[in-house]
Amino acid sequence: MGLTIHYSGKLKSASLLSELIDEIKDIAKTNEWKYFVFEDKFPKDSFSKEIDKKNLYGIMLNPPGSEPVCFSFLNNGKMCGILNHNHLQIDPSINGIMLYTISTKTQFSTPEIHQKIILLLDYVKTKYLKKFECYDEGKFWETRDKETLVEIFERNERLINSFSSAIEMIPKNEGENLEDYLIRMAEIINSKEK
C-alpha cells in the first residue's frame, strides 16, 4: 500500500542524454535532493536494438521520503528504473511493461514533493521524451488539483495508521499463520463497523 507514480517513455534522441542529465542535476541541486548518475553517454551516441543488460544510462533522484525518481534508460532508449534493471540481472526474460515502467512510491514524502515530481516528469516529457505515459495514484498528473492530492495523501495515511493500530490491538495467536491472522483481523474489524 502506498501512493505511487508509474511512468514510461523513450528518449527522443540518444544525443539528448547528456543535456537531460545536466538539467536534472541542476534541478536536484536547487531542491537539495541527492542524485546518482549512471552512464552518461550511449555507445556511439546512438540507440541499439540489442539490449545491454549490464549498463543503465541517465540519472536517478532521491527526493526526501520518496523512492528514487529515475530518468534512466536502457541502450535502446526506453526508460528503465534501477529496480527494473536489477530485476533484469536476475531474470533476463523480463520484458514489456515490467521492464519499461518505472514506479516511484511517494507515500512517505509530502504532497508538495509529489507535486514537484509530477511537474518535473511533465517538463522532462515535453523536452526529452516521446511515447510517454504516466499513471499517478495521487491524481495530480491528470487533474493538477492540489486539494485532491492532499486528500489522497491523508486518506492513505489514515489507512496505514488504522492497519498499524489493528496489528497492535489484535495480536497474532500462537501458531496462527499469517493468512489466517489477516482474515481473523478483517473479520474483527468488519464486525465492529456493523
Side-chain angles (χ1 to χ4, degrees), residues 164-176:
S164 297
S165 295
I167 289 173
E168 290 174 13
M169 293 172 49
I170 306 169
K172 186 177 172 196
N173 293 331
E174 190 174 324
E176 185 175 36

Side-chain angles (χ1 to χ4, degrees), residues 18-94:
S18 295
E19 182 182 337
L20 169 65
I21 290 170
D22 289 343
E23 197 160 1
I24 296 297
K25 278 198 303 194
D26 288 343
I27 291 167
K29 289 174 185 174
T30 299
N31 286 288
E32 298 180 357
W33 294 349
K34 295 179 182 177
Y35 64 89
F36 178 83
V37 176
F38 301 106
E39 299 295 323
D40 61 357
K41 187 173 171 116
F42 290 104
K44 300 180 184 176
D45 214 16
S46 64
F47 299 137
S48 176
K49 289 185 181 185
E50 187 174 330
I51 294 176
D52 169 10
K53 295 177 177 95
K54 292 184 176 142
N55 292 307
L56 197 56
Y57 303 84
I59 186 168
M60 174 177 70
L61 301 174
N62 286 356
S66 173
E67 289 182 350
V69 179
C70 293
F71 295 97
S72 50
F73 309 85
L74 291 175
N75 63 328
N76 63 2
K78 291 183 179 181
M79 293 186 96
C80 178
I82 184 69
L83 297 177
N84 311 52
H85 189 256
N86 288 342
H87 191 96
L88 181 63
Q89 308 308 307
I90 298 165
D91 180 7
S93 68
I94 183 177

Side-chain angles (χ1 to χ4, degrees), residues 10-17 42 45 47 128 130:
K10 184 172 181 175
L11 198 58
K12 289 179 182 176
S13 164
S15 62
L16 289 172
L17 184 64
F42 290 104
D45 214 16
F47 299 137
Y128 296 102
K130 61 183 179 180

